[in-house]
Amino acid sequence: MAQIVGAIATSHIPAIGKAIAEKRQNDPYWKPFFDGYAAAHAWLKQARPDVVVMIYNDHGLNFFLDKMPTFAVGAAAQYRSEDEGWGLPVLNSFPGDAALSWHVIEHLVADEFDVVSCQDMAVDHGFTVPMNLMFPDAGGQWPVKTLPVSINTVQHPLPSPARCWKLGRAIGRAIESYPKDLRVVVFGTGGLSHQLDGTRAGFINKKFDLYCLDTIVRDPEALTKLSVIDLVREAGAQGVEFLNWIAMRGALLGNVSQVHRNYHIPISNTAGATLVLENRTAAQSQAA
């Protein structure tokens, strides 16, 4: 059976992709941020995932303001990288697992999530930057298959934190019912606090970010009591990307422990963070 072995949450700021392309990881500005990923690389090497479920938000590449699904799931054999306007290098296509995707889609619909299924799907920096961050030595030969899940964090009304938590739980149940032996890691990308425009442009809320980092590990359901307005007020208009993290955490159905976390401000005009979580079954926890 498929097993979710853990999850990683990470920022997906376009400037990170540009820094990677220009090999600026050791520049004084960037080094404290990129150093935060060494532990994630070591954990991924140990975890040996076959598949990454990428929970992120599309930035106008597939869906624009006139047509914005609340939830969309990729169901393709591959996902092509495209630049939605930041000038980032186009990467090699990412392999998909269409059979697993359709299994997840069928279970989500049965679980009353009316998702959009995408048999043709391009992926933007919300997907490509985390893949580049987590697999820096891939050279474009990605070592895992991927399953994109896009959550609307752009066009209001947005799904609530509680709805995204339930989506994550449904994704977790779907994956763990898949009969093929696969090791799956869930990525949640975006955030943390940031606002790109308006009178609060450049807004960062360290106190709220640290609350979220603590709470998503030890008491994640407390975050479902927040509203979207709460998130906008405390994390900024674009900080609502934290919804992707909540869905990621919801997909972990076992005993969850923190392996690593890093918080660094600012990167560009955003709070940057990395969080690595291990997900063990009760039997695995007892044997450890």
Side-chain angles (χ1 to χ4, degrees):
M1 301 293 287
Q3 177 190 1
I4 297 177
V5 296
I8 298 178
T10 177
S11 307
H12 65 215
I13 310 158
I16 301 170
K18 193 167 180 60
I20 293 172
E22 295 175 352
K23 303 185 186 307
R24 296 170 59 191
Q25 291 91 333
N26 290 315
D27 283 6
Y29 177 83
W30 286 103
K31 186 171 172 43
F33 173 77
F34 281 105
D35 282 352
Y37 287 86
H41 299 156
W43 181 79
L44 278 170
K45 187 175 182 180
Q46 182 182 21
R48 298 176 285 106
D50 302 297
V51 177
V52 165
V53 175
M54 182 74 74
I55 302 178
Y56 74 113
N57 55 293
D58 184 271
H59 297 78
L61 184 63
N62 290 279
F63 315 114
F64 201 61
L65 301 181
D66 58 338
K67 301 180 186 65
M68 183 62 71
T70 300
F71 303 120
V73 181
Q78 65 177 8
Y79 304 96
R80 64 187 179 281
S81 162
E82 291 186 7
D83 173 31
E84 78 275 24
W86 292 102
L88 300 181
V90 173
L91 307 176
N92 287 354
S93 293
F94 300 88
D97 185 334
L100 176 61
S101 286
W102 283 113
H103 174 85
V104 170
I105 290 167
E106 288 172 2
H107 278 70
L108 289 179
V109 172
D111 234 336
E112 301 184 349
F113 283 93
D114 300 321
V115 300
V116 171
S117 57
C118 304
Q119 298 184 65
D120 177 59
M121 193 172 190
V123 290
D124 65 21
H125 75 270
F127 182 114
T128 62
V129 166
M131 287 295 287
N132 243 347
L133 278 169
M134 298 305 165
F135 303 105
D137 301 322
Q141 302 303 310
W142 305 109
V144 293
K145 293 186 175 180
T146 57
L147 196 170
V149 177
S150 175
I151 294 179
N152 170 30
T153 67
V154 176
Q155 174 69 40
H156 290 254
L158 309 183
S160 68
R163 186 66 171 156
C164 292
W165 168 262
K166 291 176 183 175
L167 174 73
R169 304 309 267 179
I171 290 172
R173 290 190 294 269
I175 289 173
E176 295 199 350
S177 68
Y178 192 59
K180 190 173 178 179
D181 289 335
L182 294 174
R183 296 173 67 81
V184 178
V185 170
V186 182
F187 286 4
T189 85
L192 290 176
S193 63
H194 64 296
Q195 179 150 333
L196 303 180
D197 50 17
T199 57
R200 294 205 306 168
F203 173 76
I204 289 175
N205 186 344
K206 180 178 179 180
K207 181 179 180 181
F208 183 70
D209 290 339
L210 295 180
Y211 164 77
C212 289
L213 283 167
D214 289 337
T215 306
I216 202 168
V217 178
R218 58 177 169 75
D219 187 18
E221 290 194 71
L223 298 169
T224 68
K225 297 180 174 59
L226 298 172
S227 68
V228 168
I229 297 301
D230 291 333
L231 283 180
V232 171
R233 183 182 61 247
E234 299 295 335
Q238 284 73 41
V240 292
E241 290 172 347
F242 188 64
L243 293 171
N244 302 329
W245 289 43
I246 293 174
M248 169 278 295
R249 179 64 176 84
L252 306 182
L253 306 181
N255 296 325
V256 176
S257 59
Q258 177 180 298
V259 176
H260 166 73
R261 88 176 190 186
N262 182 56
Y263 180 76
H264 180 74
I265 53 175
I267 283 298
S268 184
N269 56 356
T270 303
T274 314
L275 180 67
V276 180
L277 301 174
E278 198 159 64
N279 182 50
R280 291 184 173 183
T281 64
Q284 288 170 330
S285 296
Q286 194 169 19

